[in-house]
């Protein structure tokens, strides 16, 4: 599940202990695990919980405490407001509302109304920012179901499997003919030899 990582945090800036990236107010927002109060970024927790369903739990990467997964997935874990208060000034205003769509993290990004390029807020320029949590093969679209596990098989091994299935099929057909012969023709042979 290799996802492009953010650059490491500068000294003194709080960072995630898993990926060592600086926290922000979107995909790398600091989330606190309820039982043990350890804090990790949203992206790392979402990758850990990607294949879990809400009644299940996962283990804290540091202390192995069992953490119940909330109904909305990892984005619904509570933020660590102490770490949020240490974020750079532009990110302290509030955390983005991030949600999980399949294997993507998403948030709604609104353009600033006070941009130097324009004075009026244009809602048509707002957009949804998405982050893919799983690796997608080059040249494939993201719309359909993903092959999450790709297993490469050498060609000679695939030929051997086909050959095995051919012999299995041949054996089953031969066995079927023997059973058919014994159930139909053998009684006729015995009855035909009568006294």
């Amino acid at each position: 599940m290799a996802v492009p990582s953010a650059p490491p945090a500068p000294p003194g800036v709080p960072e995630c202990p898993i990926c060592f990236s600086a926290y922000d107010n979107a995909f790398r927002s600091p989330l606190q695990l309820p039982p043990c109060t350890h804090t990790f970024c949203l992206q790392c927790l979402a990758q850990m919980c990607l294949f879990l369903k809400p009644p299940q739990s996962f283990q804290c990467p540091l202390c192995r405490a069992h953490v119940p997964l909330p109904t909305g997935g990892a984005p619904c874990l509570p933020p660590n407001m102490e770490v949020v208060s240490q974020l750079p000034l532009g990110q302290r205003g509030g955390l983005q509302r991030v949600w999980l769509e399949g294997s993507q993290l998403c948030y709604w990004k609104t353009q600033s109304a006070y941009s130097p390029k324009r004075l009026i807020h244009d809602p048509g320029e707002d957009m949804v920012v998405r982050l893919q949590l799983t690796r997608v093969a080059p040249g494939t679209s993201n719309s359909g179901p993903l092959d999450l596990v790709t297993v490469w098989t050498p060609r000679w091994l695939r030929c051997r499997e086909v050959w095995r299935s051919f012999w299995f099929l041949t054996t089953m057909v031969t066995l079927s003919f023997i059973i058919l012969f014994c159930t139909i023709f053998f009684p006729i042979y015995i009855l035909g030899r009568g006294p």
Side-chain angles (χ1 to χ4, degrees):
M1 285 190 234
V3 176
S5 61
V13 176
E15 62 184 24
C16 174
I18 297 175
C19 63
F20 302 110
S21 298
Y23 291 117
D24 62 16
N25 63 348
F27 296 134
R28 300 265 181 207
S29 58
L31 300 181
Q32 190 173 26
L33 302 183
C36 60
T37 68
H38 287 126
T39 302
F40 305 98
C41 73
L42 169 60
Q43 183 177 342
C44 290
L45 291 174
Q47 286 177 327
M48 285 176 48
C49 303
L50 188 60
F51 302 108
L52 298 177
K53 300 294 180 206
Q56 295 176 328
S57 63
F58 64 97
Q59 291 183 336
C60 170
L62 292 180
C63 67
R64 301 292 182 211
H66 288 279
V67 181
L69 187 65
T71 304
C76 293
L77 288 167
N80 186 338
M81 295 312 289
E82 183 180 328
V83 176
V84 170
S85 67
Q86 298 173 12
L87 292 177
L89 288 175
Q91 297 176 359
R92 288 185 199 167
L95 296 175
Q96 297 287 340
R97 186 186 161 280
V98 180
W99 67 92
L100 194 61
E101 281 185 11
S103 61
Q104 293 181 339
L105 284 175
C106 307
Y107 77 91
W108 187 256
K109 182 178 181 181
T110 56
Q111 300 296 327
S112 172
Y114 303 106
S115 174
K117 295 181 181 176
R118 62 184 190 284
L119 299 175
I120 301 172
H121 177 69
D122 182 12
E125 293 187 17
D126 295 347
M127 63 180 176
V128 175
V129 179
R130 299 174 187 274
L131 175 69
Q132 181 67 36
L133 295 174
T134 56
R135 187 180 308 170
V136 179
T140 59
S141 72
N142 220 6
S143 58
L146 295 174
D147 294 328
L148 296 177
V149 179
T150 304
V151 179
W152 181 78
T153 308
R155 186 179 180 132
W156 63 270
L157 188 59
R158 283 181 272 160
C159 292
R160 191 171 74 181
E161 293 301 319
V162 169
W163 189 249
R164 280 185 187 169
S165 63
F166 170 75
W167 282 112
F168 177 75
L169 183 63
T170 305
T171 305
M172 294 309 292
V173 168
T174 305
L175 191 61
S176 298
F177 277 120
I178 292 172
I179 292 172
L180 184 66
F181 178 77
C182 289
T183 57
I184 295 175
F185 296 115
F186 190 69
I188 293 173
Y189 177 74
I190 296 292
L191 291 175
R193 289 185 63 188

